[in-house]
Amino acid sequence: MIVFLSGAEMEPERVRAAWPGARFVARARLQPRPRGAVPPPRGTRYETWGILIDTPSHAQNGETRTAVADDGRIFAAIVPAPDDADPAAVLAAARYWELPPDYVRRLARAASAPVEDYVY
C-alpha cells in the first residue's frame, strides 16, 4: 500500500515507529483537489510536498489521492491527516527528505526560521 506522508508524520523516527517494514518510494506532491465545480488552484504555492512510502499490507485511514513523484511517476496514495502542530518538526522533516527548496523556504517562513539557512 502506498502512503503519502507530509508534515511531522514524515520524520524518519516516526515513519520507522509507525511502519517498521516501510520502504521509501519517492518525494512527491499531491495534486490539488477541485472544490465542487471550481477547478483546483494552480501554482507551486498550492502544492503539498511529502514522501511516498510502500507499507506492508495493513489498514491505513485516510483519503485516496493522486500524488506525483519528483521524477514524474503518478501514484494513487492513501493520505492520512498530517501532523502540522509543530512547524519546526515539519521543517526539519522537509529538510531531511530534501523536499524542493521553494517549498522548504515556504515552511521556513511559516516556522519563523531563517530562510537563508536552507540552501542545497
Side-chain angles (χ1 to χ4, degrees):
M1 170 188 328
I2 302 294
V3 177
F4 176 88
L5 300 175
S6 63
E9 292 296 324
M10 63 182 168
E11 287 183 311
E13 301 79 25
R14 289 179 74 168
V15 173
R16 282 191 289 277
W19 299 281
R23 181 182 60 83
F24 173 79
V25 175
R27 290 178 294 267
R29 63 183 166 78
L30 287 179
Q31 291 291 89
R33 297 189 288 267
R35 299 279 186 204
V38 177
R42 300 213 183 268
T44 57
R45 68 182 181 170
Y46 299 106
E47 293 176 342
T48 299
W49 279 86
I51 60 170
L52 293 171
I53 60 171
D54 189 5
T55 64
S57 186
H58 68 279
Q60 174 63 43
N61 292 331
E63 177 183 11
T64 300
R65 302 262 311 269
T66 300
V68 180
D70 56 0
D71 62 7
R73 292 178 290 161
I74 297 175
F75 294 87
I78 302 295
V79 182
D83 176 0
D84 293 334
D86 181 359
V90 174
L91 179 60
R95 286 177 169 162
Y96 176 86
W97 292 107
E98 297 180 357
L99 297 184
D102 288 342
Y103 185 72
V104 175
R105 281 191 214 62
R106 194 169 87 199
L107 294 175
R109 283 190 292 275
S112 298
V115 174
E116 57 275 359
D117 287 350
Y118 185 70
V119 177
Y120 70 84

